[in-house]
Structure formats: structure tokens, C-alpha cells
Amino acid sequence: MTRTVITTENAPALAAPLSQGIRKGPVLQVSGQLPLDPDTGEVVGTTVAQQTEQTLRNVTAVLKAGGAGLEDVVMLRVYLTDPAHLAEMNGAYAAAVGEPFPARTTVYMQLPPGLLVEVDALAVLDD
């Protein structure tokens, strides 16, 4: 099986040694996406809800570029900077992702200043 790099201008390109996504067969892994505007590279929003919405827009853009959608996601990993943000993030997440929800893990970690959330995704497509 060939490993295919997935790129899109509809999600931010990061100055890091990573691909926006990788697809191998029916499996598509989306690298951690941040709440950055793809056109400007600037952080979108000051609340965790606003940042979650933008981050999930970026995840969705990479999924789409790889031939997938949120309905193909089996696992999302959410990285938050503060446990106090969980309820607000859950509200924005539920609205953006919709039911049936994929499996999810939430981890608390330090992100660069101004960033409150990061999300990566694992999708499996019907091939």
C-alpha cells in the first residue's frame, strides 16, 4: 500500500516537520490541528469554544482533502491547556462533530501562548 501525503490550502501549513495528513489504504491520520486561520496563520478566537470551532474546521478540511469526512472518523484526540475548559470545549465539539460521536481522548497539556486547544483525527474510509 502506498502512503499518500494529504495537503490542503484550507487548513494551516505549520512550520514543523509533519504532514497535514497521511493516508495509507483506507486509513487517514490527520495531524494535530490548531485554531489558526489558514489564510493568515493567526489564532482565531480567544475562547476555547471559538478555538475548538476553528480547529475542527481545519481538521475537517484535511479530512476532505483526503477523501473523508467527520462521518469517517473513528477517533479524535483533543488537547486542552486547562481542565476548566472541558465543559465549554464539549459544547462546541458536540455542535461541530454531531452524533454519533467518534471515540475520543482528552489530554491536558501546555500549548504555545494564546492556543487553548489542538485536535487530531483518525478516519477509516470504505475502499
Side-chain angles (χ1 to χ4, degrees):
M1 265 183 250
T2 303
R3 187 175 83 158
T4 304
V5 174
I6 306 300
T7 59
T8 178
E9 293 179 359
N10 296 318
L14 300 177
L18 56 85
S19 299
Q20 289 174 314
I22 293 286
R23 181 167 176 184
K24 188 165 183 175
V27 176
L28 171 59
Q29 176 67 54
V30 176
S31 290
Q33 295 296 304
L34 297 168
L36 303 177
D37 181 294
D39 295 325
T40 66
E42 298 295 319
V43 176
V44 174
T46 57
T47 68
V48 74
Q50 293 166 332
Q51 290 195 13
T52 298
E53 291 164 2
Q54 181 62 46
T55 300
L56 289 170
R57 280 193 291 273
N58 293 340
V59 167
T60 302
V62 179
L63 287 168
K64 184 177 178 182
L70 284 171
E71 67 278 4
D72 299 303
V73 172
V74 296
M75 179 67 171
L76 284 164
R77 282 172 291 273
V78 177
Y79 305 89
L80 290 175
T81 59
D82 187 340
H85 292 157
L86 182 61
E88 185 180 350
M89 184 280 297
N90 274 335
Y93 173 94
V97 174
E99 292 187 44
F101 300 114
R104 186 181 97 194
T105 298
T106 303
V107 178
Y108 301 102
M109 62 176 284
Q110 185 174 353
L111 290 169
L115 298 175
L116 304 174
V117 64
E118 180 175 358
V119 178
D120 72 71
L122 178 65
V124 179
L125 291 83
D126 297 325
D127 269 355

